[in-house]
Amino acid sequence: MFNSSDIEAFKNVWVFCEQRNGEMMPTTFELISEGRKLADELGVELCGILLGDDVDGIAPELGVYGADKVYVYNSPLLKTFTTDAYTKIITDAVAEFKPEILLFGASTIGRDLAPRCAARLHTGLCADCTHLDIDLDNYQKFLKEASTLPEDRIERTKSVKLAGADHSVARDLKMTRPAFGGHLMASIICPRFRPAMATVRPGVMKKRENRRTAEILHLIGADYIVSVGRGISKDVEKGLALAEELANELGGVVGASRACVDAGWIGADHQVGQTGKTVHPKVYIALGISGAIQHKAGMQESECIIAVNKNETAPIFECADYGIVGDLFKVVPELIESIRAAKAAK
Amino acid sequence: MKIFVTVKQVPDTSGTVAVNPDGTLDRASMQTIINPDDMNAVEAALTLKDELGCKVVAFTMGPPPAEGMLRELMAMGVDEGVLITAREFGGSDTYATSQIIAAAIDTYGVEPEDIILAGRQAIDGDTAQVGPQIAEKLHLPQVTYAGEIQKDGDVLTVKRILEDGYMTVKVHTPCMITCIKELNNPRYMNIGGIFECYNKQVVTMTYETLKDHPLIDKSTIGLLGSPTNILTSFTPPQKGAGMMLAGDGKETTDKLAGILAAKHII
């Protein structure tokens, strides 16, 4: 009989390797890379679990990113994702092999499947994580950089009260995620049950370097992103055309704020932010984006942020490395010319 | 045939959000709203009711003031409300919450024709876990991220929206569907509805009501029954202000391009 509270019986880190139409989802490689780090900190194996029909061929590449082993389940019934079949296979595999950690990408499939598995296994699941740690020193170092917590509060994170006794979290997975639209961060643990489960936000975890370069140009992973916001409302078509021209000049892609997506000016796959995608390009140019916290949550880790906005009090300027107060319809054509000239002068 | 809709009262995170010095949310200072995705679930239920004339029952778990939200939903056309409230239920994570709501729905009674609708996720936690977990606890099939729902007898055809396309899923009732904002535009309360809503029934289910249900056990509900615990919560530091470039003319953009080139950014 499977018993999720028999902590000692569980070992190894597992990653659900999501494929669609026989192609590995890019997030899988991010998860394998992150899973490798966790497995090393625990001194255990990293395993992938891959479900599909005739998908053996795409398993070996997971080794490039650090997987020690991949469990592959092939069946015509698993070709396309269904909640029932995938939940059955995964929970049966967990009951048989007992991994201590199980990670999923926070895709529309991962977020459908993981809660169902967690409920069946009677264990905890943390949604949409942006940071994972085992090692306590690394975790506390992360808190020093990423939080405003005082030293003594950080020091106290080494244990929690559990049924009246102090429980050391040294071997627990510490799962950090944004809550309340990014206003607050929380670190969650699952101390009494295994596996500790998490869905991980796509685009956040760094993928290991490898030889593969031929990937579809996509918002996640783009080096240059030019995003538009409500500021283009005056002339949506022209605003989008300017953003595209600037993005082309830089070899980048066009993103957008939620306002533009909600207004139907641009497709939802362009959306950056809490409900959209998290990106960390080399350069993020925000055109006419006021910078609501939900938007910032998706882009503030960019290496260089440039903001153009008519309103000098726009919150976007608080996280920008460079800001220009002005009308994007005037500034962008000038900026394109300036960049061309600067590149030509090199 | 009945449609159950699960709804949650949440702090409005789109406005200013106040944080206490200890890193927790200052809920007292914030407005509460009906969770936006839940409104789409309510609208989907009412659309089906308009077509089929079925009964719509809204379930919520929360403190007693959440009854006000149930009245608002009744003013939109919901027939009955169930308020699940008890000190024992407080501090529940998604696992424990779904355990309790599943017990409440099961106590009310699920029949073969019934449908449970939920919002995809609530804006306070953004987990999207409670819908699927209720379905699991009730042993019902689920379809998440519904962008279209059609009913034909005891079969629902649901367009499930993915990042890169969609799936069309057929599912038998009884089942759980989680709804996204693309599904519909929620209707407003109407004057007649506002008068009527106070004649409709709100059923309160407490720990006493549910304690004999197999899903309800002190070890699986509330703070102590939750598999996950909060280790710490904190506010992220604000990044320092950058360099504001004076003017909006060509000389300004030249200067910016010059800096970017000098730093090898372009």
Side-chain angles (χ1 to χ4, degrees):
Chain A
M1 181 64 185
F2 177 73
N3 176 4
S4 61
S5 64
D6 183 11
I7 304 281
E8 299 303 316
F10 291 77
K11 197 180 165 185
N12 294 335
V13 177
W14 277 25
V15 169
F16 169 67
C17 302
E18 186 185 334
Q19 58 81 21
R20 291 187 194 177
N21 303 315
E23 294 233 359
M24 202 65 85
M25 292 292 281
T27 308
T28 302
F29 300 114
E30 299 165 12
L31 287 183
I32 291 282
S33 306
E34 183 68 13
R36 182 71 263 165
K37 185 194 89 177
L38 301 175
D40 288 344
E41 290 183 3
L42 285 165
V44 299
E45 285 193 330
L46 171 67
C47 309
I49 175 166
L50 172 63
L51 282 62
D53 184 23
D54 197 14
V55 288
D56 301 84
I58 59 169
E61 195 178 1
L62 298 166
V64 177
Y65 293 90
D68 294 309
K69 196 189 280 179
V70 183
Y71 295 92
V72 185
Y73 293 82
N74 281 308
S75 163
L77 294 173
L78 300 173
K79 188 176 168 64
T80 308
F81 170 77
T82 59
T83 312
D84 297 345
Y86 275 51
T87 303
K88 167 91 178 124
I89 298 284
I90 290 170
T91 54
D92 283 358
V94 167
E96 185 178 351
F97 299 106
K98 301 190 178 61
E100 60 197 294
I101 290 173
L102 176 54
L103 306 178
F104 294 76
S107 66
T108 49
I109 285 177
R111 298 177 98 221
D112 181 279
L113 177 62
R116 191 95 197 189
C117 291
R120 192 166 301 177
L121 294 165
H122 190 170
T123 190
L125 168 64
C126 183
D128 255 359
C129 299
T130 53
H131 190 90
L132 298 172
D133 281 294
I134 295 287
D135 186 86
L136 197 54
D137 289 340
N138 284 347
Y139 172 65
Q140 295 188 333
K141 210 182 292 167
F142 158 72
L143 284 184
K144 277 177 197 145
E145 281 167 18
S147 81
T148 50
L149 291 176
E151 289 270 338
D152 62 312
R153 285 262 326 266
I154 292 177
E155 182 52 28
R156 268 188 279 145
T157 58
K158 63 177 192 280
S159 65
V160 288
K161 277 261 185 280
L162 218 59
D166 276 326
H167 165 86
S168 163
V169 299
R171 267 189 84 85
D172 282 305
L173 178 63
K174 291 159 275 291
M175 306 172 266
T176 303
R177 66 181 305 264
F180 297 102
H183 294 278
L184 207 58
M185 302 292 289
S187 297
I188 311 287
I189 50 171
C190 177
R192 298 180 296 124
F193 299 97
R194 292 287 181 273
M197 289 177 55
T199 61
V200 178
R201 201 165 163 80
V204 175
M205 301 301 172
K206 294 262 172 16
K207 197 166 74 172
R208 281 193 177 187
E209 294 296 323
N210 93 328
R211 313 164 305 255
R212 239 168 67 117
T213 48
E215 254 178 46
I216 322 155
L217 189 62
H218 204 261
L219 214 47
I220 289 175
D223 280 337
Y224 296 89
I225 296 175
V226 180
S227 273
V228 290
R230 218 187 289 273
I232 62 165
S233 63
K234 194 170 79 184
D235 185 344
V236 173
E237 224 164 278
K238 181 149 179 247
L240 286 174
L242 283 171
E244 214 155 282
E245 194 182 341
L246 179 53
N248 285 342
E249 190 55 44
L250 296 166
V253 294
V254 175
S257 72
R258 181 173 180 159
C260 294
V261 174
D262 282 354
W265 298 337
I266 192 165
D269 39 325
H270 291 269
Q271 189 178 326
V272 173
Q274 180 70 21
T275 46
K277 295 189 175 83
T278 301
V279 295
H280 42 75
K282 279 192 194 145
V283 179
Y284 188 91
I285 304 183
L287 303 176
I289 293 176
S290 66
I293 188 149
Q294 287 85 351
H295 186 76
K296 284 196 207 161
M299 48 64 79
Q300 59 198 2
E301 298 302 318
S302 304
E303 283 173 40
C304 174
I305 297 169
I306 300 167
V308 179
N309 200 297
K310 274 203 292 204
N311 177 2
E312 60 184 306
T313 62
I316 191 77
F317 289 127
E318 290 161 16
C319 74
D321 296 282
Y322 302 101
I324 295 177
V325 178
D327 184 353
L328 71 96
F329 291 96
K330 176 171 184 296
V331 174
V332 175
E334 295 166 351
L335 181 58
I336 291 168
E337 259 183 62
S338 301
I339 287 173
R340 274 186 197 140
K343 277 174 150 178
K346 269 198 163 178
Chain B
M1 176 195 170
K2 301 183 291 299
I3 302 178
F4 302 109
V5 194
T6 60
V7 287
K8 185 178 187 186
Q9 196 170 41
V10 293
D12 185 359
T13 55
S14 67
T16 31
V17 169
V19 178
N20 292 319
D22 65 352
T24 59
L25 202 74
D26 180 8
R27 282 174 186 265
S29 74
M30 294 175 66
Q31 297 278 344
T32 57
I33 55 169
I34 304 173
N35 180 52
D37 285 352
D38 299 352
M39 289 296 275
N40 298 103
V42 169
E43 178 58 39
L46 295 175
T47 307
L48 286 167
K49 179 187 164 179
D50 292 343
E51 257 173 59
L52 308 162
C54 55
K55 181 177 178 185
V56 177
V57 187
F59 280 72
T60 193
M61 182 166 109
E67 185 183 333
M69 170 188 66
L70 291 174
R71 295 279 173 211
E72 278 181 46
L73 299 176
M74 289 170 169
M76 289 169 64
V78 167
D79 299 293
E80 197 179 322
V82 177
L83 173 65
I84 310 161
T85 189
R87 201 165 289 278
E88 287 86 346
F89 301 154
S92 292
D93 71 354
T94 66
Y95 183 96
T97 299
S98 55
Q99 195 95 355
I100 298 161
I101 297 175
I105 291 173
D106 193 42
T107 300
Y108 194 100
V110 181
E111 293 168 308
E113 285 256 290
D114 294 350
I115 302 169
I116 306 172
L117 298 175
R120 170 194 54 162
Q121 65 191 38
I123 56 169
D124 51 356
D126 286 319
T127 75
Q129 286 171 193
V130 173
Q133 294 195 320
I134 291 173
E136 171 64 21
K137 292 299 168 190
L138 293 171
H139 305 291
L140 297 180
Q142 75 194 37
V143 185
T144 54
Y145 293 86
E148 263 177 48
I149 303 173
Q150 266 161 11
K151 187 170 187 298
D152 187 11
D154 61 353
V155 174
L156 298 185
T157 306
V158 182
K159 188 168 168 180
R160 182 174 190 276
I161 308 295
L162 305 175
E163 292 86 348
D164 52 355
Y166 63 87
M167 290 169 125
T168 305
V169 183
K170 280 192 193 301
V171 59
H172 273 275
T173 62
C175 59
M176 158 70 81
I177 312 283
T178 76
C179 306
I180 58 174
K181 71 173 192 307
E182 285 78 1
L183 180 60
N184 53 41
N185 292 311
R187 66 190 66 184
Y188 295 101
M189 296 181 271
N190 62 60
I191 301 288
I194 292 169
F195 279 108
E196 266 172 44
C197 75
Y198 287 96
N199 298 323
K200 292 179 178 172
Q201 194 186 11
V202 171
V203 178
T204 302
M205 292 193 184
T206 63
Y207 176 70
E208 279 302 306
T209 323
L210 299 174
K211 70 177 192 309
D212 295 326
H213 192 281
L215 287 171
I216 301 296
D217 183 286
K218 280 271 167 68
S219 69
T220 57
I221 59 160
L223 190 60
L224 291 176
S226 295
T228 59
N229 298 61
I230 295 176
L231 177 61
T232 186
S233 64
F234 57 90
T235 46
Q238 286 294 317
K239 186 175 169 181
M243 181 198 288
M244 293 305 291
L245 302 166
D248 63 353
K250 185 72 171 33
E251 60 287 358
T252 307
T253 55
D254 276 346
K255 191 173 167 199
L256 177 57
I259 295 171
L260 298 179
K263 292 194 167 183
H264 304 287
I265 292 171
I266 56 170

